[in-house]
Amino acid sequence: MLFRNIALLSAVALVGGTSCALAQGQTLTIATVNNADMIIMQRLSPKWEQATGNKLNWVVLEENVLRQRATTDIATKGGQFDIITIGSYETPIWGKQNWLVSLDDLGNDYDYGDLIPTVKSALSANGKLYSLPFYAESSFTFYRKDLFDQAGLKMPDKPTYDQISEYAAKLTDKSKEQYGFCQRGKPGWGENMAFIGPMVNAFGGRWFNEKWEPQLTTEPWKNAINYYVKNMREYGPPGATANGHNENRALFATGHCGMWVDATSAAGYIYNPKESQVADKTAFAPAPVEVTSNGSAWFWAWALAVPASSKKVDAAKSFLKWATSKDYITLVGNEVGWVSVPPGTRKSTYDNPEYQKAAPFAKIVYDSIVNADITKPTKDPVPYVGIQYVAIPEFQGIGTAVGQQIAAALAGQVTVDQALENAQRSTERTMKQAGYPK
């Protein structure tokens, strides 16, 4: 009871620091993704509701569905949502279109200077901050150290994709439903392409050359996708084209995966013994490289934003301030566990001895995020910004269309060459219609 009262007072104080006067008793509609950190946010949000008198109407969606609905609503100024969960891809594009409310006026107590600079920069446009980071991530390789020991394997400090394939063969035992190569297969620019994009980068590929000409039938793309399809079929779980981030996280946490290359933000879940059966059996290494290390690990921030079409901007800002604050991170640490706090957003999190003790992965995650360079994502020069995405409005459709072709190749419906030729043609059409090069 004492802690609840302290938390409530803290929430009141935090809300009170907002520069705008709050209307009481409003109901805000918030759209978010069904990832672990957001589920915790939903669970703790009654504290903000009690402190402000406002209510939240939660619309919790699968990742691809969230992106589609949020994009449609904001582009049409539909006003369906007061708060949306978006990422470092959408924020600067939508901010420049004046589709989002700027968020630079939350007061000194928000401590903007504590935000990790690369994350803050990725969520800004024209010198204004248009979304607040809820958590940020890079990618790395989760692996089962107990299975590696049993197989006599040692993960190198900087693994290559060739080595990952070699290890996957030795770790796969389909009779035990144990798979060495668990990767995203569900089509979508933020699903299978979030893994495949950095993998293609590592193989020396790029989405476009300097003239904005698509490069999807070049040798690096063919080498990378042939590698992906072969290893997913031989060493991956069945039905992989239905597996996105959440499905693979569940497979790994229940002991079915020897290796998984995915978001560093999942480490809090995998290392939490309340959630994961392999919390004490998991180790990590950097994302694999091959021809180059440029762009081999992605950069992403999930963030909260207020659409310009919202009629409840003040109350929405109040919630964003609460949910992305240092006090909220402390609240999660105290109530859920320090291993589960939202990672990658604030320097103070990584300076906290309690977090350092609970999160053995903290330093590698922090270094990956701080050093991510979305302006130099590939071996060869490119005209775009972004590691696992291309920061142009057209990429959302392009990435999903390409992801569908690669999923079709994984399912055996087309060959890899056919998939990439189809992807090349559709991308060329889209870019021509959009008027590239501009």
Side-chain angles (χ1 to χ4, degrees):
M1 179 62 73
L2 177 61
F3 178 76
R4 179 181 295 178
N5 290 339
I6 292 171
L8 188 58
L9 288 170
S10 175
V12 172
L14 186 59
V15 169
T18 306
S19 62
C20 32
L22 297 181
Q24 297 298 302
Q26 294 183 304
T27 297
L28 306 177
T29 299
I30 175 172
T32 194
V33 70
N34 58 346
N35 291 352
D37 292 275
M38 282 70 169
I39 292 169
I40 292 171
M41 175 174 63
Q42 185 178 8
R43 199 166 95 211
L44 296 176
S45 63
K47 294 183 182 300
W48 176 82
E49 292 176 322
Q50 292 165 21
T52 64
N54 296 311
K55 296 291 182 185
L56 292 167
N57 172 35
W58 291 85
V59 180
V60 182
L61 303 166
E62 184 269 333
E63 199 164 309
N64 286 341
V65 178
L66 170 76
R67 289 189 163 113
Q68 183 180 28
R69 286 187 58 180
T71 302
T72 299
D73 185 67
I74 201 157
T76 60
K77 298 181 172 60
Q80 184 179 358
F81 305 116
D82 300 295
I83 300 167
I84 52 174
T85 304
I86 61 174
S88 49
Y89 163 70
E90 300 98 337
T91 298
I93 294 172
W94 293 0
K96 288 176 184 175
Q97 295 284 342
N98 296 316
W99 290 350
L100 302 173
V101 174
S102 64
L103 300 168
D104 295 304
D105 60 347
L106 301 183
N108 292 334
D109 58 324
Y110 183 69
D111 197 356
Y112 290 96
D114 187 47
L115 297 176
I116 293 174
T118 50
V119 177
K120 184 180 178 185
S121 175
L123 301 177
S124 301
N126 300 328
K128 295 181 180 180
L129 189 62
Y130 281 103
S131 65
L132 299 182
F134 184 65
Y135 72 79
E137 64 188 31
S138 184
S139 56
F140 64 9
T141 306
F142 297 87
Y143 69 96
R144 287 278 301 281
K145 57 187 178 184
D146 58 327
L147 298 181
F148 265 66
D149 290 344
Q150 291 168 21
L153 301 173
K154 179 175 173 55
M155 179 68 79
D157 292 338
K158 294 181 179 179
T160 66
Y161 274 102
D162 282 345
Q163 290 171 322
I164 293 293
S165 178
E166 175 190 331
Y167 304 152
K170 295 179 180 178
L171 296 175
T172 299
D173 186 341
K174 295 185 179 180
S175 69
K176 296 180 180 177
E177 297 184 341
Q178 177 181 304
Y179 306 99
F181 196 76
C182 293
Q183 312 301 344
R184 300 187 188 197
K186 181 186 292 185
W189 74 266
E191 280 287 8
N192 62 345
M193 298 312 297
F195 168 75
I196 289 167
M199 181 182 67
V200 169
N201 295 341
F203 274 76
R206 53 185 174 168
W207 278 94
F208 302 98
N209 66 14
E210 291 177 282
K211 298 179 181 178
W212 286 105
E213 295 168 338
Q215 300 293 293
L216 302 172
T217 52
T218 58
E219 282 304 306
W221 271 88
K222 290 181 179 180
N223 292 340
I225 305 308
N226 275 306
Y227 171 95
Y228 169 79
V229 168
K230 175 181 182 294
N231 283 278
M232 287 285 274
R233 287 181 181 172
E234 293 184 6
Y235 313 126
T241 55
N243 293 343
H245 169 81
N246 287 338
E247 291 80 9
N248 279 306
R249 188 189 68 201
L251 283 168
F252 193 93
T254 52
H256 292 291
C257 297
M259 292 180 292
W260 175 40
V261 181
D262 213 287
T264 56
S265 59
Y269 185 95
I270 297 299
Y271 278 83
N272 186 346
K274 295 177 184 177
E275 306 282 0
S276 169
Q277 297 173 22
V278 296
D280 61 342
K281 301 178 178 68
T282 299
F284 49 86
V289 301
E290 191 64 16
V291 173
T292 181
S293 61
N294 284 24
S296 58
W298 72 62
F299 172 85
W300 183 253
W302 274 119
L304 301 174
V306 180
S309 55
S310 173
K311 301 294 192 292
K312 304 165 186 174
V313 170
D314 289 351
K317 282 185 177 181
S318 165
F319 180 76
L320 265 61
K321 181 176 181 177
W322 175 80
T324 62
S325 66
K326 289 187 284 188
D327 284 3
Y328 176 82
I329 289 170
T330 300
L331 178 65
V332 176
N334 289 332
E335 294 231 341
V336 183
W338 279 97
V339 73
S340 298
V341 304
T345 61
R346 289 186 171 272
K347 292 177 280 188
S348 56
T349 301
Y350 293 87
D351 293 335
N352 189 315
E354 293 186 85
Y355 185 64
Q356 293 171 0
K357 181 180 177 182
F361 46 82
K363 187 178 187 305
I364 189 173
V365 172
Y366 181 78
D367 289 346
S368 296
I369 291 170
V370 168
N371 295 319
D373 189 352
I374 60 176
T375 66
K376 295 177 182 176
T378 53
K379 179 175 77 72
D380 296 322
V382 291
Y384 57 83
V385 168
I387 295 174
Q388 80 280 21
Y389 58 84
V390 177
I392 57 174
E394 295 77 17
F395 181 75
Q396 191 161 344
I398 289 170
T400 295
V402 175
Q404 289 166 344
Q405 289 296 328
I406 292 173
L410 178 58
Q413 297 165 357
V414 294
T415 66
V416 168
D417 282 354
Q418 288 171 333
L420 292 177
E421 286 165 9
N422 293 340
Q424 175 78 9
R425 284 197 297 271
S426 70
T427 305
E428 286 174 345
R429 281 196 303 273
T430 300
M431 296 300 282
K432 185 177 180 180
Q433 290 167 358
Y436 285 84
K438 293 184 178 181

